[in-house]
């Protein structure tokens, strides 16, 4: 039916919008394993909770239902959220002027009402034919990013990426707290492969340059790699379960649970040269099944994850000697910086599990700016005012101690296990650094070996953890079996701490 003036009725308009683009685009997406945008929303949210905004945007234009983006509010696990979802059956999910205005409005609504903002992204970028209307103005595309930055740290911003996020649109995921990418379909890039070849002469592919695997293992722009869209949506819901709705609230709690499997004593080898998996250690320390790892495929020498300790959400930063010996590199410093700031923004206490030889040295990492990246990590740790605990599991050498919230960085407690060592460097490196000439001057092999062994014993005695505890370097020593209870009690005591840090507007991030 149509109205008396020949226009479609409201029910007809709603039906058109609900169908999205032409059937051939739905079929093409289905062949790639992609869901219709409205089906994505339906899977993510509580049934019947979605209230759509701007449903009739560009309703009178041909082939532009909702102008290619669905926005509105809903609940996820009973908690209010705001969301947007690109409809890739409508001009490949590209942006027009009303698309941009809808996205800006929904982020503003999320910010003003203090609820998480979810981005379900699948967009080819701006419509060049509409650039004057959507690109340069005060409510143009740039306002999306300005609004995201304003909301950052105030509300959680979560992105699931199902297809392309092209050109300037790639910054929507970039400004989110976490980006979940679907293998094979998701991509982020500032210029297409054709544009890159035209501008630089480089021949590449979208997958090599901006694919999901690359971004979650090499660039670090993506945080989680999943195989299916359902897994991506479930990851979004699971992630939000660890976060408050906004920065004024505390994270949601659950019923306390027993720790996960594993013996904290047996998991740590006696020799610091022998690697062990800090992920297994964290699982044995925290409530069973509560680990949510972020960036599992990138900078693996550092573990960052959410978990629960007696039902309370905590963030864990742990050195993993299974990868690169647990040494801190440029990427792992950046990984820690982002995670520490995320936890601090949303009132999530931090537990640092230190087994760190220090920051990497050498010409290659110096050229990459290891000092600058390390300074960012140390700045983030310094500025974090949530309850934070430094647990020296095995070793904390050099500036690695500082990066892992050592005693000089106002942790609420520095806790040491009997296996702990704190020093500028390990015994072997220290002996060689200080006594290299004397060692080289000894020609007899047995005599040289005995001399070096004696120096190592003397050095180990100087950095003995009981000695350091006696000097108040650490607050308490505990047996491995006592660590979980110790942390739980100290966390309870620290929840009411004063969170002021410095008399200023904000710090100046290292370049």
């Amino acid at each position: 039916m149509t109205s008396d003036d020949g226009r479609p009725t409201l029910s007809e308009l709603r039906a058109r919008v609900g169908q999205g683009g032409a059937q051939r685009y739905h079929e093409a997406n289905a062949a790639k394993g992609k869901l219709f945008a409205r089906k994505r929303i339906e899977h993510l949210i509580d049934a019947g909770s979605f209230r759509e905004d701007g449903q009739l945007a560009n309703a009178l234009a041909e082939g532009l239902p909702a102008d290619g983006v669905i926005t509105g509010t809903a609940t996820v696990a009973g908690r209010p959220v705001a969301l947007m979802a690109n409809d890739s059956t409508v001009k490949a999910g590209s942006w027009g002027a009303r698309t941009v205005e809808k996205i800006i409005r929904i982020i503003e609504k999320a910010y003003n009402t203090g609820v998480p903002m979810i981005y379900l992204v699948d967009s080819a970028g701006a419509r060049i034919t509409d650039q004057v209307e959507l690109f340069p103005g005060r409510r143009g595309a740039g306002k999306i990013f300005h609004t995201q930055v304003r909301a950052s740290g105030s509300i959680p911003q979560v992105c699931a990426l199902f297809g392309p996020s092209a050109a300037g649109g790639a910054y929507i995921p970039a400004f989110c707290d976490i980006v979940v990418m679907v293998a094979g379909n998701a991509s982020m890039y500032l210029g297409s492969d054709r544009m890159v070849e035209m501008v630089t002469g480089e021949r590449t592919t979208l997958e090599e340059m901006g694919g999901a695997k690359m971004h979650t293992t090499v660039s670090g722009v993506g945080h989680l790699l999943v195989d299916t869209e359902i897994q991506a949506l479930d990851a979004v819901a699971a992630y939000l379960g660890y976060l408050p709705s906004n920065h004024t609230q505390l994270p949601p709690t659950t019923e306390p649970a027993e720790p996960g499997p594993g013996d904290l004593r047996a998991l740590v080898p006696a020799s610091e040269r022998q690697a062990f998996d800090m992920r297994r250690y964290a699982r044995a320390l925290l409530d069973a099944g509560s680990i949510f790892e972020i960036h599992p495929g990138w900078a693996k020498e550092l573990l960052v994850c959410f978990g629960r300790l007696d039902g309370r959400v905590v963030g864990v930063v742990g050195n993993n000697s299974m990868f690169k010996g647990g040494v801190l590199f440029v990427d792992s410093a950046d990984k820690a910086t982002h995670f520490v700031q995320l936890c601090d923004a949303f009132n999530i206490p931090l537990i640092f599990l230190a087994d760190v030889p220090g920051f990497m040295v050498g010409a290659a990492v110096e050229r990459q700016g290891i000092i600058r990246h390390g300074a960012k990590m140390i700045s983030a740790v310094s500025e974090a005012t949530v309850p934070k605990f430094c647990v020296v599991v095995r070793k904390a050498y050099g500036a690695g101690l500082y990066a892992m919230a050592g005693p000089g960085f106002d942790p609420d407690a520095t806790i040491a296990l009997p296996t702990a060592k704190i020093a500028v460097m390990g015994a072997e490196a220290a002996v060689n650094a200080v006594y290299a000439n004397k060692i080289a001057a000894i020609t007899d092999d047995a005599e040289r070996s005995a001399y070096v062994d004696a120096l190592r014993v003397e050095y180990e005695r100087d950095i003995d953890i009981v000695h350091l505890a006696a000097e108040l370097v650490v607050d308490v020593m505990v047996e491995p079996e006592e660590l979980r209870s110790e942390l739980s009690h100290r966390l309870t005591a620290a929840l009411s701490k004063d969170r002021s840090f410095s008399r200023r507007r904000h710090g100046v991030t290292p370049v």
Side-chain angles (χ1 to χ4, degrees), residues 288-306:
S290 72
I291 295 285
F292 186 99
E293 187 174 357
I294 297 173
H295 268 142
W298 182 61
K300 294 181 181 181
E301 65 272 16
L302 191 76
L303 165 73
V304 298
C305 66
F306 293 140

Side-chain angles (χ1 to χ4, degrees), residues 222-254:
H223 298 79
L224 291 178
L225 180 67
V226 296
D227 292 325
T228 69
E229 295 199 356
I230 295 300
Q231 290 174 343
L233 294 164
D234 290 346
V236 167
Y239 174 84
L240 288 174
Y242 291 89
L243 293 168
S245 292
N246 58 65
H247 76 288
T248 68
Q249 301 176 7
L250 294 175
T253 58
T254 61

Side-chain angles (χ1 to χ4, degrees), residues 493-505:
L495 289 176
S496 60
K497 67 180 288 191
D498 176 14
R499 292 193 58 188
S500 58
F501 177 67
S502 176
R503 187 182 68 250
R504 68 186 192 190
R505 190 176 302 277

Side-chain angles (χ1 to χ4, degrees), residues 302-319:
L302 191 76
L303 165 73
V304 298
C305 66
F306 293 140
R308 290 187 173 88
L309 182 64
D310 285 335
R312 287 185 296 229
V313 176
V314 294
V316 171
V317 180
N319 313 110

Side-chain angles (χ1 to χ4, degrees), residues 18 45 65 91 131 160 342 419 425 430 466 488 496:
I45 67 171
K91 290 191 177 294
Q131 64 175 311
L342 174 66
T419 46
M425 61 184 71
V466 176
S488 182
S496 60

Side-chain angles (χ1 to χ4, degrees), residues 265-281:
R265 183 180 294 274
L267 283 171
V268 182
S271 170
E272 67 179 66
R273 296 182 180 182
Q274 185 176 345
F276 75 97
D277 193 343
M278 191 60 82
R279 292 170 299 187
R280 294 180 61 195
Y281 194 89

